[in-house]
Amino acid sequence: MDKKIVYFLCTGNSCRSQMADGFLKAYGGDKYEVKSAGLEAHGLNPRAVATMQEAGIDISTHTSDVIDPETLSQADYIITLCGHANDNCPVVRNDKAERWHWGFDDPAKATGTIEEVTAKFGEVRDAIKSRIQQFVKEGK
């Protein structure tokens, strides 16, 4: 059975798309080939790594990548995780791809105390986890 390709896109491929990538590999890696990228590569956010580690998912070896046109053209699912990526995603020349937008707040823009910022990362992580679990359960 060929795995369906899921391509998560965000602005910088540093937080949200990396979290989604990690969760889908963990919960659906047997069914999906999972990739993520950004309109730009901002580097892997250390707080995203730490937040995912708290959930038992290691994304420390992930890289922050820019959108690859070849992967974009081969994907079965193209899922944007922020409004900027949704609005600025390149034109998809791919008739088979389902394109979805799952909007999540950018935890990297959280302000306040360390505890408040950490809580925002956890909140976004948990929301992404829930959405990934729903995606896998629905068996898209």
Side-chain angles (χ1 to χ4, degrees):
M1 173 177 120
D2 285 338
K3 292 182 177 184
K4 294 195 176 214
I5 299 170
V6 178
Y7 206 18
F8 291 112
L9 304 178
C10 221
T11 300
N13 193 220
S14 65
C15 290
R16 293 164 287 184
S17 52
Q18 295 287 354
M19 291 179 183
D21 183 313
F23 279 127
L24 188 55
K25 282 178 179 164
Y27 299 137
D30 57 328
K31 293 175 22 177
Y32 304 102
E33 182 178 342
V34 185
K35 299 180 182 269
S36 66
L39 298 171
E40 304 165 357
H42 291 171
L44 188 57
N45 186 300
R47 281 204 169 110
V49 173
T51 300
M52 290 297 287
Q53 193 66 49
E54 290 172 2
I57 308 282
D58 182 9
I59 62 169
S60 64
T61 60
H62 287 200
T63 58
S64 179
D65 303 307
V66 296
I67 295 170
D68 174 49
E70 186 174 328
T71 302
L72 198 62
S73 71
Q74 295 173 353
D76 296 288
Y77 300 99
I78 299 166
I79 304 171
T80 54
L81 301 169
C82 67
H84 184 255
N86 187 46
D87 294 343
N88 294 285
C89 182
V91 173
V92 178
R93 302 196 193 305
N94 177 344
D95 294 333
K96 72 173 182 165
E98 289 188 43
R99 185 166 167 184
W100 297 341
H101 175 65
W102 301 345
F104 296 101
D105 291 339
D106 185 354
K109 291 186 177 175
T111 58
T113 66
I114 295 284
E115 292 79 15
E116 291 167 333
V117 171
T118 300
K120 186 63 174 181
F121 269 83
E123 175 187 313
V124 172
R125 176 205 59 213
D126 293 346
I128 291 171
K129 177 181 177 181
S130 177
R131 187 62 189 92
I132 294 294
Q133 288 173 324
Q134 179 183 348
F135 178 82
V136 172
K137 183 179 176 185
E138 291 172 359
K140 296 292 182 184

